[in-house]
Every structure is written in structure tokens, then in C-alpha cells.
Amino acid sequence: MVNKNDLMALEDDVLNLEEAEELLAQQLEDSFKDLELLKNDKEVLKNPENLGKVILDEVWKQFGNQIGLDITNETLIQKYDREHPEAYRDIKDSVLQDPAYREANKEMADQQKVGTLKDTYTGKDLKANDKANLDHVVPRKELYENQRRKQANRSVSELANKKENLKPTNESLNKSKGAKSNQEYIEKRKEREADLIKQNERANKKIDESNLSDAEKRAKKEKNNKRLNDKLAADDELMKQADKEARKAINRDIRKNAAKEAGKKAGKDALKTMAVSALFALSKDIMNGLIRFLKLKSKSFKSFLEEMKQSLKSFFSKITSFLKTGTSTFISTIISEIFGPIVSMFKKLASLIKQGVSSLMEAIHYLRDKNNRNKLLSVKVAHVGKIITAALAGGSAIFLSEVFEKFLLTVPGFQTPIPLMGTLANIIGLFLASLISGVMGAIILNLIDRFISKKLDAQQTQAVIDQNNQILNIQNVQFAVAEENATRVKENAMKDIFETNAYANNMIEQSLHNIFKKDVTDVAEQRPVIDETQARLLKLQKELEDLL
């Protein structure tokens, strides 16, 4: 293409006309090529058969997309619930049978025997005759309901029986605390203590009114009062400190393992979707190669291999797109797990998030592409509209597949399991959903393509007109420069002719003057002078002829 630098270079070199003609011819040729390509694109979009191809491609794309989403839809929490279908009543006692709890309980008993055991919540020593309990600082029920624990793939026993979460305290305080957290116990302490005091007063009153002896009454009342004092002796700060240490240890364990499990799942999901995408792309390219081969009039093994080679070449050219798919899946899986407790409440929400992240990344990539920066805003919006349309088609397919699956599961025979893919109802539901959403999405995409074609047609046509006008302007400038250059050469030639003619006349006059000035009678003496003058005149005449 000719630009301002090319023109300046041409003018500085007093116009290289041959180079200028080549550049202008190349510019015209490129412009007409662009126009021809645009016309071909328009014809393709106007061709009714193209809609069928778009629909087929979109259905195939949606089917592969839905399979990829389906095999990676399950979140870590949903996976844990599927593998551990346990209720709290089933595991609360098993926590106390865990070897870690038994070992900690034995260690507490040994410390109490030697008199070194201290109540974590009151700060008092627990004597040998006191009833000591090993309390779970963070209650078992709270850990059971912790969704992040499931993401980390940690059992209730593993977290509840951590060393930092097992603290010795007196039996009365432990039973009073129950399944409440330390914070909950502290918050309602005043109301509870008032109730405890009233309960103790009523219990002692009943003892006083009983038929027991004074010694028995005194013993029972002392026992009641000790229980009350043990409960009232709880120190808020000690309980808060114990709670802080326990939660810090538990949360550190959960964060570490949740990040590890999420990373593993994201990597596996990325590999799965890349494998599915690659498999579908390879299948499509091979089928297209077979179709091309079958359309050939003269078939041979060599032509078959050539078509397969072309199909494989087409497949390997898409490796970058597979990597982008894997990256998108990796990121969307991490996002899904960040919002895991919410996402896990809905069966297909993880797939919707992955579809949305994939579309968002595709749109950002398109808008950031330097090749698209100079396109019309309406064209950019239309292309982003295509991406959104594809996302909506994928989203609708997700819901439709679930509807079809639920319906087909009621039909005998469709409950047949298929390894790695779910049930027969699931596969058929995915295909039907992909078919419907693919057809609708393809029709909308074709309409958007037509709109983009019209916009690009108008833009390209105007660009060609502008280029041609620029070429005409360049040609006018070049003609003007050439004409000026020719005039300058002509003027310089005429000037040289006049100067040479004047010089010749001067030389002739000077020679004649020298000849007739001398009074020489000897012809022999005059001859050399005449010959020298004649030679100089001949030389001047030749130079003049060369100049002309």
C-alpha cells in the first residue's frame, strides 16, 4: 500500500515513476481483492444452504459443550454429599469413638491423676475427685454443617478432634454449654445464669422440704451448689481465647485443603473439557474429510489419505482454541468453588457459571484484539451479541436437558447407566436440548451475521472509494511533479545550449583575431595556428551535438 512516506521518498528522488506505478498497481489490486472477498462473504451469507451448515455446526457445538459442562458440573460440596450421605445423628457419636479423641481423653485422665490438669474455661485446677470432660470447643454440629469442610474433603472427626479443639473442663460447665459455641454461650450468659440460680434455689427448696436427714440434705445441697458454682465460674476471656485458637487451627486446615481440592478439580475439569472439545473437533473434521472424499468422482486410497491429512491438519490448527477452553474451565471452576456453598444449592448453577465465564472471556478477547479496534461500534456490538446469543443458547440447553432428563427417567429403560456419562436419559436429554437450542441459536446467529455483513459491506465500499480517491490524488501529484521535472530538464538543456553557443562564438572570434593580428607572410608559420583552431572548433561542435 502507498503511504505518505512512500510519496515523500518518491518526491525526494525526483520521482521514480516505475516504482510509483508498481506501488499504485499493487494498491489497486489489494483494494479489488478486498472487495471481491467481501462479495464472496455476502454470497455465502445469502446462500440458503449456509443456514443449514450454521445450524449443524451450532447443534454439534452445543452438544459437545453440554457434555463438557455436564461432566464437570458437580461441585466439591455436591461430590462430598454424594459420597458421604450421612446425617448428623449418624456421625455425632462416631466422633467420640475416633482414635484421636480417645487418645486425648486418656491423656486428660493421666494429667488429672497426677494433679496437673487445669480447667481451660475457668482457669481452676481439676482435682482427682472432680468430674472432668473433654469439650469440643467448636461443636461437632457446627462442623458438620460447615460447607467449606466438605470442599476440603475433611470429615467431622478430623476437624473436631484436632488438638486445639479438645479442651478439658468440668462436667457441669460442659453439659451446660452443650452444642453451643463458646461465643453463643457467652452472649446469653446473664439470662442463663439467672435461670440457673433460680433452678438451684428450687432444687434446694425441694431438698429442704423432703424427709431426708439434715446430713443428707446438706450433702445434696452442697452438691447442687458446687454444680452451680462450676457453671458460674466460666471465664469469658478464657473461653474466647480457647475458641480463637481452635477456630484458627480448623480454618487453616480447611483453607489449605479446600484450595488443594479446588485446584485439583479445576485441573481435572480443564483436562476433561479440553478432551471433549478435541474429541468433537476431531470427529467433525474426520467426518468432513469423509464427505469430501465421497464427493470425489475418482476415488483412490491416495486421495483418501490426502483428505484425512487435511482433516488432521485442520484439527491441529485448533489446538490454541482447546487451550483457551481449558483455561476458561479452570477459571470458572475456581469461581464456582469460591461461591461453593451457594452454587451447591442448585444442581446446574456451576454449569451456568462456567458458560458465563467462558462467554465473558471470549467477549473480552474479541474486544481487546488489535485487529478489531478499528471496526465500527455497531459491528463490535453485533459480534458481542453473537457471543451472548451463544451463551444464552448454552444456558437454555442446560435447563432443557434437565427437563428432558427428568421426563425420560420416568420411561422404562432410560435409567440404564452409561460409564462416565450418567444415564441414557441424561445423554438423550443433552442431545435433544442441544438440538433445540442449537437450531434457535443458529437462526439468530445467522441473522446477526447478515447484519454484520451489511455493515462491513458499507464500510468496505466506502474504504475502497476513499482508496481510489487517494490513488487519483497521488497520480495527480505525480503527474504534476513529472511535468515540473520535465520543464526543469528542458530549461537546463536550453541554458547549456546557449552558454555553449556563446562560448563557441567567443572562441571563433578570438581565433580569427589572432590569425589576422599577426603580419606573417610565411604560410608555413600560419598553418599550425589554423590547424589548432580548426581542432578546437570541431571539438566544440561535437560537444554541442552531444548536448542536443
Side-chain angles (χ1 to χ4, degrees):
M1 293 291 180
V2 176
N3 54 35
K4 292 182 178 179
N5 292 332
D6 294 327
L7 281 178
M8 291 176 66
L10 290 173
E11 292 177 1
D12 289 343
D13 295 336
V14 199
L15 194 62
N16 187 332
L17 292 177
E18 291 184 359
E19 183 179 353
E21 288 177 0
E22 290 178 2
L23 290 170
L24 289 169
Q26 184 63 44
Q27 184 178 18
L28 283 170
E29 183 180 351
D30 291 343
S31 298
F32 289 130
K33 280 183 180 179
D34 292 340
L35 189 59
E36 188 65 26
L37 288 174
L38 183 61
K39 289 179 179 178
N40 291 337
D41 292 341
K42 286 175 62 179
E43 291 302 322
V44 170
L45 289 171
K46 291 177 180 178
N47 188 353
E49 295 181 359
N50 184 59
L51 178 58
K53 183 178 182 300
V54 172
I55 290 175
L56 181 61
D57 290 344
E58 187 63 20
V59 170
W60 188 256
K61 174 184 174 182
Q62 285 299 331
F63 188 46
N65 182 52
Q66 291 308 309
I67 290 180
L69 291 174
D70 192 68
I71 62 177
T72 61
N73 177 68
E74 188 177 54
T75 65
L76 290 172
I77 294 175
Q78 291 169 338
K79 178 184 177 184
Y80 186 93
D81 288 338
R82 175 174 57 79
E83 295 177 349
H84 304 84
E86 55 195 16
Y88 177 64
R89 62 178 179 274
D90 300 325
I91 60 98
K92 67 176 183 178
D93 293 331
S94 65
V95 174
L96 304 180
Q97 303 303 319
D98 186 73
Y101 181 82
R102 289 188 172 187
E103 181 64 26
N105 204 28
K106 180 178 179 299
E107 184 179 342
M108 180 189 70
D110 293 340
Q111 290 180 354
Q112 188 175 15
K113 285 180 183 179
V114 299
T116 59
L117 186 65
K118 189 179 289 291
D119 191 319
T120 303
Y121 294 156
T122 65
K124 298 179 180 180
D125 294 329
L126 289 170
K127 299 177 181 178
N129 60 343
D130 290 333
K131 290 185 177 181
N133 284 174
L134 200 57
D135 180 55
H136 288 101
V137 180
V138 179
R140 289 167 287 171
K141 186 170 178 44
E142 180 181 336
L143 291 172
Y144 170 79
E145 296 172 346
N146 190 319
Q147 298 297 302
R148 297 295 183 186
R149 169 187 68 82
K150 298 177 182 179
Q151 279 186 319
N153 195 28
R154 304 293 281 173
S155 68
V156 175
S157 296
E158 288 174 318
L159 296 179
N161 293 329
K162 291 183 75 67
K163 180 180 179 181
E164 295 86 352
N165 197 52
L166 294 174
K167 299 297 180 182
T169 188
N170 65 79
E171 185 180 68
S172 298
L173 179 54
N174 186 38
K175 289 182 177 180
S176 177
K177 177 175 176 281
K180 295 183 285 293
S181 67
N182 287 8
Q183 189 61 37
E184 290 173 336
Y185 188 81
I186 293 170
E187 287 175 354
K188 298 181 179 179
R189 180 170 182 172
K190 290 183 178 180
E191 296 86 346
R192 183 175 55 259
E193 288 184 350
D195 292 338
L196 289 173
I197 292 173
K198 290 179 180 179
Q199 290 175 12
N200 189 65
E201 289 176 351
R202 287 195 295 268
N204 288 340
K205 185 177 181 181
K206 287 183 179 181
I207 293 173
D208 289 335
E209 294 174 352
S210 67
N211 296 324
L212 298 173
S213 64
D214 291 341
E216 291 175 330
K217 290 179 179 179
R218 185 168 53 256
K220 282 186 173 292
K221 288 168 67 175
E222 287 179 356
K223 189 175 181 180
N224 286 344
N225 291 335
K226 185 179 186 311
R227 288 173 180 169
L228 175 63
N229 291 330
D230 285 343
K231 296 174 184 177
L232 299 179
D235 186 290
D236 291 354
E237 294 303 320
L238 291 177
M239 293 188 75
K240 287 180 181 179
Q241 182 63 29
D243 185 78
K244 181 179 178 181
E245 292 176 359
R247 291 185 185 279
K248 182 179 179 180
I250 290 172
N251 291 335
R252 181 171 58 245
D253 191 330
I254 290 176
R255 282 195 301 270
K256 177 182 176 181
N257 287 282
K260 181 180 177 181
E261 292 296 323
K264 287 167 56 178
K265 183 181 188 309
K268 290 180 180 178
D269 287 355
L271 291 175
K272 287 178 182 178
T273 53
M274 287 171 64
V276 170
S277 299
L279 178 62
F280 270 73
L282 180 60
S283 301
K284 181 181 176 183
D285 288 332
I286 290 177
M287 285 191 294
N288 288 337
L290 287 173
I291 292 172
R292 290 193 303 268
F293 172 74
L294 294 174
K295 286 182 178 181
L296 294 175
K297 292 183 179 180
S298 59
K299 301 177 180 64
S300 65
F301 184 69
K302 183 178 180 181
S303 61
F304 173 77
L305 291 179
E306 188 64 30
E307 292 297 340
M308 291 300 100
K309 181 179 178 181
Q310 186 177 345
S311 296
L312 290 176
K313 185 177 180 181
S314 174
F315 169 74
F316 285 112
S317 67
K318 301 171 185 174
I319 294 295
T320 303
S321 67
F322 302 149
L323 293 176
K324 288 181 180 178
T325 300
T327 302
S328 172
T329 301
F330 186 91
I331 294 174
S332 58
T333 297
I334 296 296
I335 293 175
S336 297
E337 293 304 328
I338 290 175
F339 300 98
I342 299 174
V343 174
S344 300
M345 295 172 63
F346 305 94
K347 185 178 179 181
K348 297 290 185 178
L349 185 55
S351 293
L352 285 174
I353 290 176
K354 290 176 181 178
Q355 181 71 62
V357 170
S358 175
S359 300
L360 179 62
M361 290 181 64
E362 186 178 354
I364 292 174
H365 177 74
Y366 171 79
L367 293 174
R368 292 184 63 185
D369 190 343
K370 61 181 181 180
N371 295 325
N372 301 326
R373 291 177 182 173
N374 296 327
K375 290 184 177 179
L376 294 174
L377 178 61
S378 56
V379 173
K380 291 182 181 179
V381 172
H383 272 289
V384 173
K386 288 179 63 178
I387 296 172
I388 294 174
T389 300
L392 292 176
S396 63
I398 292 172
F399 287 108
L400 284 174
S401 65
E402 189 170 1
V403 172
F404 285 126
E405 181 182 0
K406 288 181 178 179
F407 171 75
L408 293 172
L409 285 174
T410 62
V411 180
F414 283 90
Q415 299 84 2
T416 305
I418 299 177
L420 302 176
M421 302 298 291
T423 62
L424 182 60
N426 183 31
I427 298 300
I428 296 177
L430 285 175
F431 176 75
L432 292 176
S434 301
L435 179 63
I436 295 174
S437 61
V439 170
M440 297 302 296
I443 292 174
I444 297 174
L445 290 175
N446 187 259
L447 293 174
I448 295 176
D449 278 337
R450 288 176 179 272
F451 171 79
I452 293 174
S453 175
K454 290 179 180 178
K455 290 293 183 181
L456 290 178
D457 183 19
Q459 183 184 20
Q460 187 66 16
T461 301
Q462 184 60 44
V464 170
I465 292 173
D466 293 341
Q467 287 174 350
N468 289 335
N469 289 336
Q470 183 180 4
I471 291 171
L472 292 174
N473 290 334
I474 293 171
Q475 289 175 330
N476 290 333
V477 172
Q478 290 176 331
F479 285 135
V481 172
E483 187 177 11
E484 177 65 23
N485 187 40
T487 302
R488 189 181 302 116
V489 171
K490 181 180 178 181
E491 290 177 350
N492 290 338
M494 292 300 297
K495 181 179 179 181
D496 290 341
I497 291 172
F498 289 137
E499 290 179 352
T500 303
N501 187 39
Y503 177 74
N505 291 334
N506 184 50
M507 291 296 298
I508 292 171
E509 290 178 1
Q510 184 177 355
S511 298
L512 292 174
H513 176 74
N514 290 335
I515 292 172
F516 293 106
K517 180 178 181 181
K518 295 181 180 180
D519 185 15
V520 183
T521 57
D522 190 353
V523 176
E525 293 181 1
Q526 293 180 345
R527 190 66 188 175
V529 178
I530 295 173
D531 291 341
E532 180 184 356
T533 303
Q534 182 67 26
R536 293 173 63 185
L537 287 173
L538 289 174
K539 183 179 178 181
L540 287 174
Q541 182 179 357
K542 188 176 183 303
E543 290 179 355
L544 183 60
E545 289 176 355
D546 292 340
L547 180 61
L548 293 174

